[in-house]
Amino acid sequence: MDVVKEVKLLKYQMSLMKRMVNAEEHPFFMFAIDHEFEENQVKAFLKILGVFSCRIYGEDISKWYQNDQLFSQFNLPLDKLYASEQPTLEELKSVVAKIFYQEFELEYLLCSLKKQFIQAEVCEFFLQRLKTDLK
């Protein structure tokens, strides 16, 4: 099969899968599919949300230092990422821009994660910051 046919087949199969997945139950996965996120992008971002959770709650972040090569391709400043102070909205925006290379509404990303119960507290932390930022 040539490359063009393979791509067409994959796109068709993806559209079928999107019809099978309940977007209400898996809003982040649908968001990832719709925005064509790659696996390494999702893994890096979810790990960063875990780091942010530790920073928000003042927990030990040393367990997150492993597998830093995941971040190397995104040129993320590890000294800032593993800082002990609470993360800021600007830091989140910077991380999102470096990992996903595209623009979208940050609120939709955070809401999709929260609705799927992925780092819901961290998402709520940033959603509150977004609300106060807009005022």
Side-chain angles (χ1 to χ4, degrees):
M1 186 180 298
D2 70 0
V3 176
V4 173
K5 284 185 179 183
E6 282 187 56
V7 170
K8 284 182 179 181
L9 177 60
L10 286 172
K11 286 186 176 197
Y12 174 67
Q13 290 171 337
M14 182 65 71
S15 72
L16 290 175
M17 289 177 64
K18 284 176 68 175
R19 291 182 196 153
M20 293 170 26
V21 173
N22 183 343
E24 293 298 316
E25 290 179 21
H26 305 286
F28 173 67
F29 294 155
M30 291 302 284
F31 190 91
I33 290 170
D34 289 342
H35 289 86
E36 299 178 351
F37 293 167
E38 296 175 10
E39 182 179 9
N40 59 345
Q41 291 173 305
V42 172
K43 284 182 178 181
F45 186 67
L46 294 180
K47 183 176 179 184
I48 288 170
L49 290 179
V51 171
F52 284 170
S53 176
C54 289
R55 288 174 53 189
I56 289 168
Y57 295 108
E59 298 170 2
D60 180 31
I61 59 173
S62 63
K63 66 182 177 182
W64 296 99
Y65 283 91
Q66 302 139 2
N67 199 20
D68 284 338
Q69 66 272 14
L70 183 63
F71 299 139
S72 63
Q73 63 187 308
F74 303 112
N75 197 26
L76 295 169
L78 297 181
D79 57 330
K80 288 186 180 183
L81 184 61
Y82 294 125
S84 57
E85 67 263 0
Q86 287 197 339
T88 65
L89 189 55
E90 289 307 314
E91 184 179 7
L92 176 66
K93 289 177 181 179
S94 172
V95 164
V96 166
K98 287 182 179 187
I99 290 178
F100 296 116
Y101 317 116
Q102 59 180 294
E103 289 190 25
F104 47 79
E105 285 293 324
L106 188 57
E107 182 178 4
Y108 292 131
L109 172 63
L110 293 169
C111 285
S112 72
L113 286 158
K114 183 179 172 186
K115 286 179 185 175
Q116 199 168 322
F117 306 103
I118 299 173
Q119 293 290 352
E121 298 85 12
V122 175
C123 294
E124 184 58 33
F125 174 86
F126 285 115
L127 285 167
Q128 290 302 317
R129 302 294 180 285
L130 274 173
K131 286 179 187 174
T132 58
D133 213 34
L134 294 174
K135 292 182 180 180

